[in-house]
Amino acid sequence: MEQSRIAQSIGIALDRFIKNNQDQFQYASGELSQLLRDIALASKVVHREVTKAGLVDLSGSLGSHNSAGDQQQKLDVLANIRFTRALAKGGEACAIISEETESYADLNNDGKYVIAIDPLDGSSNIDVNVSIGTIFSIYRRKSEPGNPITASDILQKGSEQVAAGYILYGSSTMLVYTTGHGVNGFTYEPTLGEYFLSHPDMKMPVEGKIYSINEGLANSFSGSVQAYLQYCKDRNYTARYIGSLVADFHRNLLKGGIYIYPATAKDPGGKLRLMYECNALAFVAEQAGGKATDGKNRILDIIPVDLHQRTPFLVGSTMMVEKAMSV
Ligand code: AHM
Ligand code: MG
């Protein structure tokens, strides 16, 4: 019933979709809806900046100031400012954890939500005009609003996310999110300045044939990761690696596949960050019927001890992830 209701809403604008589905949230208030709208708004600004990246770089190379006399800023820093500003203005967030800042940003003590965000992931791809993304997780704070936030508000495990998702700045810009009731994808229509539902109730194929991994590092992979890669090759699977997590994940979500960033000699604990890269995608994957693990533990069950902690990450079609864990 719920699924057909969503399927019938194809083409509906994001704002209206959020409003229509507000009753699904565990905490029936408009605050979470407002947070999602704040994130969507900031992403539209980032979309605008991303599409101008080549021009910005050009003017940057002529002098390090723009026409307004401001210093040119790197897009990832700019994206961090855009998202932080949007979330701070709304008042619903009490803290933001970001890849771009060492410590968390303490916002409104009355806010009920903690946001973990990678404002612009895969940013080394900006210079070469390849897809990049924003990844976000939303948690409800544990302590009473009105008080200073505590470590237990900040260091929550992924299973406690109340919403999560990503924005993919690709050949079109898409926002994909879950509030724990399935996954829905919205495509941005830049001339109207609106996201519209284009991918209702997304499901990740249970089995797939695409594997995504930086195979140049294979010499330092564990024996089991190397054995799984051999398994993929023996079956003529397709290798696809953009080097932009959101883009690699999104393709595998739609087509069926596995993304692996294992422990390597350079990054023995894995490269990717648990709190603002892996948890959100793990939540989306599970809600779409997929699986996410560090090789042993479910990603969403890992208790974080540090804002920026890393983890090995295997995410994708359930049967592929299970196979990768069992070889
Ligand atoms: P970043 O947060 O510095 O952008 O790094 C994260 C990115 C992911 O988007 C991508 O999947 C991975 O790093 C690629 O790493 P590598 O170049 O080692 O393959
Ligand atoms: Mg990142």
Side-chain angles (χ1 to χ4, degrees):
M1 179 61 191
E2 190 177 288
Q3 282 179 6
S4 67
R5 188 180 77 174
I6 290 173
Q8 280 164 13
S9 358
I10 279 203
I12 192 173
L14 175 65
D15 271 6
R16 186 166 293 276
F17 182 89
I18 290 174
K19 192 162 178 289
N20 290 354
N21 292 283
Q22 204 158 275
D23 58 341
Q24 287 182 342
F25 299 153
Q26 197 182 343
Y27 308 98
S29 74
E31 291 160 346
L32 191 52
S33 304
Q34 188 54 46
L35 276 173
L36 289 168
R37 281 195 287 264
D38 292 341
I39 289 171
L41 176 63
S43 78
K44 292 177 191 177
V45 180
V46 172
H47 162 94
R48 194 187 61 194
E49 313 286 354
V50 164
T51 52
K52 288 191 309 196
L55 292 171
V56 172
D57 275 346
L58 193 65
S59 64
S61 71
L62 291 173
S64 59
H65 292 78
N66 65 17
S67 55
D70 301 327
Q71 199 147 17
Q72 296 289 347
Q73 275 166 325
K74 283 252 174 217
L75 263 184
D76 39 10
V77 177
L78 209 72
N80 192 44
I81 293 169
R82 297 297 183 213
F83 280 101
T84 308
R85 202 178 281 168
L87 291 164
K89 274 206 177 121
E92 283 81 12
C94 56
I96 302 179
I97 301 157
S98 165
E99 170 157 4
E100 295 298 325
T101 47
E102 202 44 45
S103 182
Y104 59 83
D106 210 342
L107 301 179
N108 172 18
N109 268 348
D110 292 325
K112 295 185 186 140
Y113 294 92
V114 174
I115 321 297
I117 191 160
D118 185 348
L120 212 54
D121 182 68
S123 48
S124 64
N125 277 324
I126 297 171
D127 294 349
V128 289
N129 205 3
V130 170
S131 300
I132 43 184
T134 296
I135 309 173
F136 63 91
S137 295
I138 304 178
Y139 296 87
R140 187 149 167 114
R141 72 184 287 176
K142 300 266 184 203
S143 62
E144 270 309 304
N147 297 302
I149 46 166
T150 64
S152 66
D153 297 324
I154 298 294
L155 296 172
Q156 299 193 48
K157 57 184 177 179
S159 58
E160 296 182 279
Q161 292 169 102
V162 292
Y166 58 83
I167 295 115
L168 171 59
Y169 310 95
S171 47
S172 58
T173 290
M174 279 193 74
L175 187 154
V176 174
Y177 80 94
T178 181
T179 56
H181 299 269
V183 179
N184 291 289
F186 298 78
T187 301
Y188 185 54
E189 215 298 18
T191 60
L192 298 174
E194 277 279 12
Y195 283 101
F196 294 97
L197 181 66
S198 51
H199 296 63
D201 197 25
M202 297 170 85
K203 293 285 178 230
M204 186 173 245
V206 181
E207 180 62 288
K209 291 191 172 164
I210 299 173
Y211 66 102
S212 312
I213 187 167
N214 184 347
E215 217 173 340
L217 307 174
N219 283 345
S220 69
F221 295 163
S222 68
S224 68
V225 174
Q226 293 191 14
Y228 180 67
L229 292 185
Q230 193 55 52
Y231 173 92
C232 293
K233 289 173 196 171
D234 290 345
R235 280 154 191 78
N236 293 321
Y237 282 6
T238 295
R240 289 283 182 270
Y241 190 70
I242 297 169
S244 203
L245 177 59
V246 172
D248 279 311
F249 175 84
H250 184 73
R251 181 201 51 246
N252 294 351
L253 170 61
L254 293 180
K255 297 196 165 180
I258 186 169
Y259 174 97
I260 307 177
Y261 209 112
T264 62
K266 183 165 172 272
D267 292 302
K271 176 187 180 188
L272 299 177
R273 317 292 184 135
L274 175 66
M275 294 217 58
Y276 42 77
E277 290 176 333
C278 303
N279 272 338
L281 300 187
F283 190 21
V284 170
E286 286 196 6
Q287 284 293 315
K291 203 172 171 105
T293 168
D294 67 356
K296 291 192 191 90
N297 312 292
R298 179 182 177 229
I299 289 291
L300 298 182
D301 286 337
I302 300 173
I303 299 168
V305 291
D306 184 275
L307 297 184
H308 300 285
Q309 93 186 49
R310 299 171 193 267
T311 178
F313 193 41
L314 292 85
V315 64
S317 295
T318 295
M319 286 173 73
M320 293 185 87
V321 174
E322 281 172 359
K323 186 73 204 172
M325 289 169 73
S326 69
V327 289

